[in-house]
Amino acid sequence: MPMENGARFTVLLLAAATAAGAQVLERRVAALLDEPAARRASWGIHVVRLADGAVLYSRNAGVPMTPASNTKLVSTALALERLGADYRFVTRVLADAAPDAEGRVRGALRLVGGGDPTLSGRAVPYDRDAKEGDALGPLRELAGQVAARGVRVVEGGVIGDATRWPWAPYPAGWAIGDMTWEYGAPVSALTVNDNSLELVVRSGPRAGDPAAIEFRPPVEYFTVFNLLRTPEGGERRIVVQRAPGSRVLEIRGVAPPGAAVVQSIAVDEPARFAAELFAQLLRERGIEVRGPVRAATRIEGTAWQEPQGVELARRESPPLVELLRIINKVSQNLHAEMMLRETAHVVRGEGSARAGVEEMASLLKAAGADEAEFDLEDGSGLSRRGLLSPQSLTALLRYMDRSGRGELFRSLLPVAGQDGTLAGRFRGLAEAAAVRAKTGSLSHVAALSGYAGEDPSRRVVFSIIANGFTAPPAEIRALIDKMAIAILKETRR
């Protein structure tokens, strides 16, 4: 049927308004890209209106770029789609047989990792003002359950079982220097305290005094060579080094009396680390632990067999959606990798990074992204080899908006100027709260992708990626924020 004159006029009016708005946005972005800092970077930008898919701005939108933590948009969307918002992770303590009348367990206790990232003191649900709780609280709970079952002696030691996923702790493209620190901690199905220890180094109270070393939580895991000196002068230079895969820390440098430094150091064997902590907590409960403390892992390509035995303790995680919110709000790398592997485990029966990356590719293609525009290596974006175009990201964001989980997914992202990794940005711009977006940051990489606009009928999705810049990162981030505000203004025209 021919279009009625009124309807035709409305369509023409909308098209004219879109064209006019796009021209304004084009001018605003062009002015920002003409700034000296911006000229020292490669930019990819894509802005699309959700209601009708109209492209409001495009620059190198189909060029694959290093997305950094914008990758988490894909891995968290995948977990939400495949596992569901209410999915929960389970950690168990198993024995070959129940304790005898004297409370003796003849074999080992097996602490079975189920991929739960919440075995720590982190507050769940996400609260920007929450303080860290007891890092060993969840393990204490499990140890308490074991004691409540009447266990008094464990004759076969403790096994930290991380066999649910293959042992492949570092995805392709991670830098070797990242592996020393908490943000590059190894990926394991049995993870406690984000597979890290907090190291506190305090120089002596007077010149010539030795430095004090403290670990949180308190556990004997690392060997420390303390070479830090406390001189008379005011110079402060404290260096903490650990070779990847090593349990030896070297602390050197100089610091004035009373100076301190805090570093979060990754552990090298998460399953054994968890087992050692659990054995320590059992002993604190008065349970005698005899025999070795060890880890159980499996190599990729070998079949997984679910551990069997008498269940002495169990802990379920909070619902998945709350864990995804933490990942995107604070950009937690390890948790993103854990979500990717668990999704692959549930969907394919093989919780490997490779299987997870293939699932991410499947989701992106279902969203309408061109497979020539992405090539991912991990779920966190810490890999320097991952590539993703701005156009692929806006396709994913539009797909999630149409999935029936649009508002839920949008709620997982940082609110500009208010929380998460955007809490310190967009300062003084109250209107910025209508921007919800995921940040991304690596050396010479900055990104911001998400949703702009409160009115669903006028809301847009956008992706801004800067690669290869030589300007200070703070200047690039400030330009990105100004672009996001320019985009937001287009939703209010």
Side-chain angles (χ1 to χ4, degrees):
M1 185 189 318
M3 183 182 293
E4 296 290 339
N5 288 338
R8 184 182 296 110
F9 176 75
T10 301
V11 171
L12 292 173
L13 188 63
L14 179 61
T18 298
Q23 289 173 3
V24 173
L25 181 59
E26 178 87 32
R27 289 195 297 271
R28 287 174 174 168
V29 175
L32 293 169
L33 292 176
D34 196 43
E35 294 194 15
R39 292 199 299 268
R40 295 153 59 189
S42 297
W43 293 88
I45 307 171
H46 201 228
V47 184
V48 181
R49 189 165 54 212
L50 279 172
D52 58 3
V55 176
L56 304 183
Y57 185 88
S58 181
R59 177 189 177 95
N60 298 325
V63 176
M65 306 183 76
T66 303
S69 285
N70 273 202
T71 305
K72 293 182 177 74
L73 289 168
V74 190
S75 57
T76 56
L78 177 70
L80 187 60
E81 284 286 289
R82 302 289 197 266
L83 301 180
D86 295 325
Y87 185 84
R88 294 173 187 263
F89 299 81
V90 179
T91 306
R92 301 179 296 155
V93 179
L94 304 179
D96 291 339
D100 63 20
E102 297 178 352
R104 183 182 292 104
V105 172
R106 297 289 182 181
L109 283 186
R110 185 176 291 267
L111 178 64
V112 181
D116 185 358
T118 69
L119 301 180
S120 72
R122 188 188 299 274
V124 184
Y126 169 80
D127 179 350
R128 65 181 180 182
D129 299 319
K131 305 297 183 184
E132 284 282 323
D134 179 8
L136 301 183
L139 277 192
R140 290 187 202 280
E141 175 190 334
L142 290 167
Q145 291 182 43
V146 171
R149 290 292 300 269
V151 175
R152 298 292 175 264
V153 179
V154 178
E155 294 191 339
V158 174
I159 301 171
D161 188 319
T163 58
R164 186 175 182 86
W165 313 328
W167 174 239
Y170 304 109
W174 280 24
I176 194 167
D178 294 336
M179 301 172 190
T180 299
W181 313 108
E182 178 271 340
Y183 69 84
V187 186
S188 171
L190 179 55
T191 286
V192 173
N193 197 42
D194 295 342
N195 293 338
S196 66
L197 282 171
E198 192 171 76
L199 168 68
V200 183
V201 182
R202 293 187 178 89
S203 61
R206 294 174 301 277
D209 287 347
I213 306 298
E214 177 189 358
F215 285 104
R216 303 172 183 163
V219 60
E220 294 183 5
Y221 189 83
F222 290 110
T223 299
V224 178
F225 285 98
N226 182 6
L227 306 176
L228 184 70
R229 295 183 294 112
T230 308
E232 290 284 354
E235 182 183 3
R236 181 183 185 278
R237 180 173 51 83
I238 302 174
V239 179
V240 179
Q241 291 184 321
R242 177 180 77 87
S246 168
R247 289 197 183 186
V248 178
L249 292 178
E250 182 180 303
I251 304 168
R252 54 185 173 81
V254 294
V261 64
V262 180
Q263 299 276 10
S264 290
I265 311 294
V267 303
D268 59 324
E269 292 184 86
R272 182 166 180 177
F273 173 65
E276 289 176 357
L277 287 171
F278 192 56
Q280 175 180 310
L281 294 173
L282 290 171
R283 292 186 181 106
E284 290 177 6
R285 287 277 182 171
I287 298 173
E288 182 181 355
V289 179
R290 303 170 183 168
V293 174
R294 57 200 190 278
T297 59
R298 68 181 174 93
I299 62 173
E300 190 167 353
T302 58
W304 175 67
Q305 294 183 340
E306 186 169 1
Q308 302 295 319
V310 176
E311 185 174 285
L312 300 181
R314 160 184 287 252
R315 180 185 184 274
E316 288 191 359
S317 75
L320 177 88
V321 66
E322 299 301 340
L323 314 189
L324 300 182
R325 182 169 286 111
I326 288 170
I327 291 171
N328 281 331
K329 291 284 191 182
V330 306
S331 205
Q332 223 295 337
N333 292 327
L334 174 60
H335 295 193
E337 298 297 339
M338 295 175 75
M339 293 299 129
L340 184 66
R341 284 154 183 75
E342 181 64 7
T343 303
H345 175 84
V346 171
V347 174
R348 296 189 171 206
E350 176 62 23
S352 67
R354 176 188 52 79
V357 166
E358 290 173 358
E359 284 298 310
M360 286 200 295
S362 176
L363 176 64
L364 284 168
K365 286 187 282 188
D370 186 337
E371 60 184 321
E373 295 182 12
F374 59 84
D375 186 9
L376 296 175
E377 294 284 356
D378 66 359
S380 64
L382 193 57
S383 174
R384 273 65 172 179
R385 289 170 49 177
L387 294 172
L388 192 58
S389 72
Q391 195 166 256
S392 296
L393 281 164
T394 56
L396 174 74
L397 293 166
R398 291 183 64 209
Y399 177 85
M400 293 306 294
D401 183 72
R402 300 190 302 266
S403 69
R405 298 186 177 95
E407 286 302 318
L408 180 61
F409 186 70
R410 183 170 162 270
S411 76
L412 306 182
L413 306 182
V415 180
Q418 293 192 9
D419 66 13
T421 53
L422 288 179
R425 293 168 61 170
F426 296 89
R427 288 297 177 89
L429 297 170
E431 62 181 342
V435 174
R436 290 177 176 258
K438 181 72 196 74
T439 56
S441 180
L442 286 172
S443 296
H444 311 295
V445 177
L448 188 69
S449 300
Y451 302 87
E454 290 294 352
D455 182 354
S457 67
R458 303 178 65 84
R459 188 175 294 153
V460 302
V461 293
F462 68 92
S463 178
I464 307 168
I465 304 177
N467 278 187
F469 55 80
T470 56
E475 292 184 20
I476 298 297
R477 287 194 295 269
L479 286 169
I480 289 174
D481 293 353
K482 290 176 182 177
M483 291 179 195
I485 292 299
I487 291 166
L488 177 61
K489 288 179 178 178
E490 287 309 305
T491 71
R492 297 172 175 173
R493 288 177 58 83

